Amino acid sequence: MNTNNILEIDGATKVFNVSSGFFGEKKELVALDNFNLDIAAKPASITTIAGESGSGKTTIANLILGFMKLDSGNIRFEGKDIDTMSKEEVINYRRNVQAVFQDPFGVYNPFYRISHIFDLVIKHFKLTKSKSEAREMVEASLNAVGLRGEEVLEKYPHQLSGGQRQRMMMARAYLIRPKIIVADEPVSMVDASLRAAILEVMRKLRDEEGISFIYITHDLSTAYQVGDNIYILYQGNVVESGQTTEVIDNPQHPYVQLLIDSIPVPDPEEPWQEMIDIPEEEETRFSNSLGCRYFARCPKRLDYCQSQSPDYKQFSGKSNHWISCHLYGD
Amino acid sequence: MDGKISLSVNELKVHYGTPTGDIIAVNSISFDVNKGEALGLVGESGCGKSTAAYGILRLVQPPGKILGGTVSIDGTEVNDLSDEDFRKLRGTKLALIPQGAMNSLNPTMKVFGQIKDQIQTHEGKQNSNEIKDRILNLLSKVGLPKRTYNMYPHELSGGMKQRVCIAIGIALHPNLVIADESTSALDVVVQRVVAQTLSHIQKEMGVSMIMISHDMGLMAQMVDRIAVMYAGNIVEISPTNQLFKNPSHPYSKILIESIPSIKDKNPLKLVEGITHDPRRPPPGCIFQLRCPLVEPRCKETSPSMKKISNGREVSCHLVS
């Protein structure tokens, strides 16, 4: 156990039972396979978890937030396993690990004014009893995300833009002064021109307030702009990880290479090169539980990729760049 | 009108009625789509890009209403057509690939049935072998394997469903296809597959296309010209490469600068301010509340659409 880490995830595995049809055979779908992650207490960082839909990124968020139980492995916060925490410790954990979700439209109750979400938090975590003090706290956290109380607090959710609502959720999380915020796709439902404001809030909270983020996204370009470390998942396995700029500038795994190559370049003079095709998900999802999960789609596959799963190896010379692929190492 | 224009939209106006006044969703927009050209319609959510498409197709649902404007297809005005006659044009002349195609397929019908429906509604009953060949041909055109023919939508992945919708859209060889956010709910790699399929078909069949999207990166890859919409108005129309090289309207500039890059780490461009109440736009320029370069005259008179060099049109006082 390393005392410098605030959050440690060790061998986290989550398996879902999926049955095909009413009497169909039961299959096991490994949503997350032996996932490891450490978040250092200092300095605060933004850790990106990226991957396509079904790759297990939201499963990680749900596990960290305690919405799901692990099948094996454990998650420790400040050295304590979150599964065996006492009631007080759970409250402390929730205080320190907050969440911002994808949909800024669905998280608000449309019948209440915006101030309601802040009142609830103050009441639940018993932050203060004095009304004026509460108002000051709310104002301070709204200022941190670039909003002013008189502009927004008395409004109803439908009167605000998606970007404002999402910043409000950041302010709500920040009000509690957590150590970690789990942000599950916070910008994917917000307009491109307003995304920058939310990413900027994340950067500011990290640099000025020392709050670490677990930033879950499918969008590598926003991760590149704000992230420190990145983990790229494919069907529940980490295929490549390391420093964000290092991984994105110099991707090694064939999947990550394809992923980065497929991001549309905002320059008409740099068109996509060749046409690509991919097999359907069902073919790859349950097959070859032994070998590399990317086997069915990999353009560079070797014979033994199907029978042996690749180890997680350090990429030559680079201290913090790991790859899970047979093409590297040895 | 020369024979090069496939679709011409003139002063199209669509409002949504609400108890406190009409929301001006599409405010007198005009544009042309040339034969074989792909035109992009971009803008943030709520700017009226989808409503414009539905306005062209006469598919606006109440409380929305089309208040004016003319639509011409291949130089023929179609405004005077009855609803029944216009319905016959949909699919044969104008096709829509709807937003969220995942949900637009009938879950109880196999793929071939849905394509057959489209063909037979317009062309009447046909020889079953012929129609099977035709459907298989369509499926291969959009890059789907033959066995998709007998599958239900739930057996397909998102990208495959999207390609079935493309197949339905092009089944009757329309002159113009409107693709409404057809790749936005997909993962990057799948998005690329679907986008490439669309572009490939568009070039192969020589159809014109209107691509609606908020993703500027995707637009750069796929379309020839871009029309930028803001709050129901078209503020700029430019060839794609020129728009990216040198955006004229301040809003186009913001849109392009806000694309996060994976090439260099620039400080992100922040856009402050919110849009006006769409029921009561302020007098003057539509973009004045969010424009970083706003001047007093912008609050008085609204700029008209001006032609500048190289087939570009911009509506801004600062551009001459």
Side-chain angles (χ1 to χ4, degrees), chain B residues 129-157:
Chain B
N129 280 330
E130 255 170 52
I131 206 157
K132 184 173 180 182
D133 284 346
R134 200 163 147 193
I135 293 170
L136 287 175
N137 187 12
L138 276 169
L139 289 177
S140 83
K141 237 185 205 158
V142 295
L144 288 171
K146 277 204 171 102
R147 56 190 179 77
T148 337
Y149 184 82
N150 249 326
M151 285 164 92
Y152 285 103
H154 76 265
E155 297 175 279
L156 305 174
S157 69

Side-chain angles (χ1 to χ4, degrees), chain A residues 275-289:
Chain A
M275 293 275 280
I276 50 165
D277 210 356
I278 48 170
E280 304 94 87
E281 189 187 2
E282 286 300 302
E283 280 175 25
T284 57
R285 187 84 230 207
F286 296 99
S287 60
N288 60 287
S289 49

Side-chain angles (χ1 to χ4, degrees), chain A residues 52-53 191 193 196-197 199 221 224-225 258 261-262 264-268 270-272 274-276 280 283, chain B residues 44-45 147 160 187 189 192 196 217-218 220-221 241 244 259-266 269-271 290:
Chain A
E52 57 189 25
S53 32
D191 278 312
S193 55
L199 296 173
S221 41
Y224 188 79
Q225 296 298 322
L258 174 68
D261 194 39
S262 297
V265 185
D267 182 351
E270 245 182 89
W272 279 316
E274 75 279 26
M275 293 275 280
I276 50 165
E280 304 94 87
E283 280 175 25
Chain B
E44 57 198 29
S45 29
R147 56 190 179 77
M160 294 173 85
D187 289 312
V189 179
R192 173 174 168 185
Q196 285 182 329
L218 198 66
Q221 298 286 331
N241 50 5
F244 277 89
I259 311 169
S261 156
I262 52 162
K263 293 245 167 72
D264 34 19
K265 226 170 162 169
N266 295 323
K269 182 98 183 167
L270 295 184
V271 201
R290 282 173 66 185

Side-chain angles (χ1 to χ4, degrees), chain A residues 72-295:
Chain A
S72 70
N74 59 61
I75 299 175
R76 293 184 303 272
F77 176 74
E78 291 179 333
K80 282 196 198 79
D81 191 329
I82 62 164
D83 235 9
T84 58
M85 278 181 174
S86 69
K87 222 174 169 183
E88 288 78 43
E89 284 169 338
V90 169
I91 291 173
N92 176 50
Y93 178 67
R94 292 218 188 286
R95 236 188 130 119
N96 282 305
V97 180
Q98 278 291 314
V100 173
F101 296 104
Q102 176 171 16
D103 182 356
F105 303 90
V107 293
Y108 291 92
N109 184 334
F111 291 106
Y112 290 108
R113 290 176 201 272
I114 296 294
S115 53
H116 181 70
I117 58 163
F118 294 100
D119 296 344
L120 270 187
V121 169
I122 289 170
K123 212 169 110 193
H124 182 76
F125 288 104
K126 303 186 181 68
L127 297 181
T128 175
K129 282 216 169 87
S130 134
K131 262 198 175 155
S132 59
E133 210 179 315
R135 183 68 177 78
E136 269 167 39
M137 289 170 77
V138 171
E139 189 69 41
S141 53
L142 283 174
N143 289 345
V145 300
L147 294 167
R148 281 201 310 273
E150 74 249 35
E151 272 177 359
V152 292
L153 281 176
E154 291 308 308
K155 287 194 171 156
Y156 286 97
H158 69 266
Q159 294 171 304
L160 302 172
S161 73
Q164 282 181 318
R165 291 187 215 194
Q166 202 60 298
R167 280 193 277 166
M168 208 82 73
M169 291 323 286
M170 291 274 179
R172 188 204 67 93
Y174 170 64
L175 182 66
I176 313 159
R177 301 289 187 280
K179 293 182 174 136
I180 296 174
I181 294 178
V182 179
D184 189 356
E185 299 268 19
V187 296
S188 65
M189 288 181 71
V190 176
D191 278 312
S193 55
L194 302 169
R195 268 177 205 176
I198 292 160
L199 296 173
E200 197 49 45
V201 167
M202 287 172 58
R203 184 145 58 185
K204 198 172 149 210
L205 291 183
R206 173 193 65 186
D207 295 343
E208 291 170 17
E209 310 291 338
I211 297 173
S212 287
F213 281 85
I214 295 176
Y215 174 45
I216 293 171
T217 185
H218 66 274
D219 180 0
L220 290 179
S221 41
T222 54
Y224 188 79
Q225 296 298 322
V226 298
D228 297 307
N229 295 309
I230 191 163
Y231 291 76
I232 296 173
L233 291 170
Y234 181 76
Q235 296 193 356
N237 289 55
V238 176
V239 290
E240 191 160 346
S241 72
Q243 231 195 323
T244 310
T245 42
E246 162 70 26
V247 170
I248 292 177
D249 289 340
N250 191 14
Q252 299 299 323
H253 194 283
Y255 171 65
V256 182
Q257 286 170 348
L258 174 68
L259 199 62
I260 287 168
D261 194 39
S262 297
I263 298 171
V265 185
D267 182 351
E269 274 150 38
E270 245 182 89
W272 279 316
Q273 292 308 314
E274 75 279 26
M275 293 275 280
I276 50 165
D277 210 356
I278 48 170
E280 304 94 87
E281 189 187 2
E282 286 300 302
E283 280 175 25
T284 57
R285 187 84 230 207
F286 296 99
S287 60
N288 60 287
S289 49
L290 280 176
C292 175
R293 290 196 163 262
Y294 192 54
F295 180 78

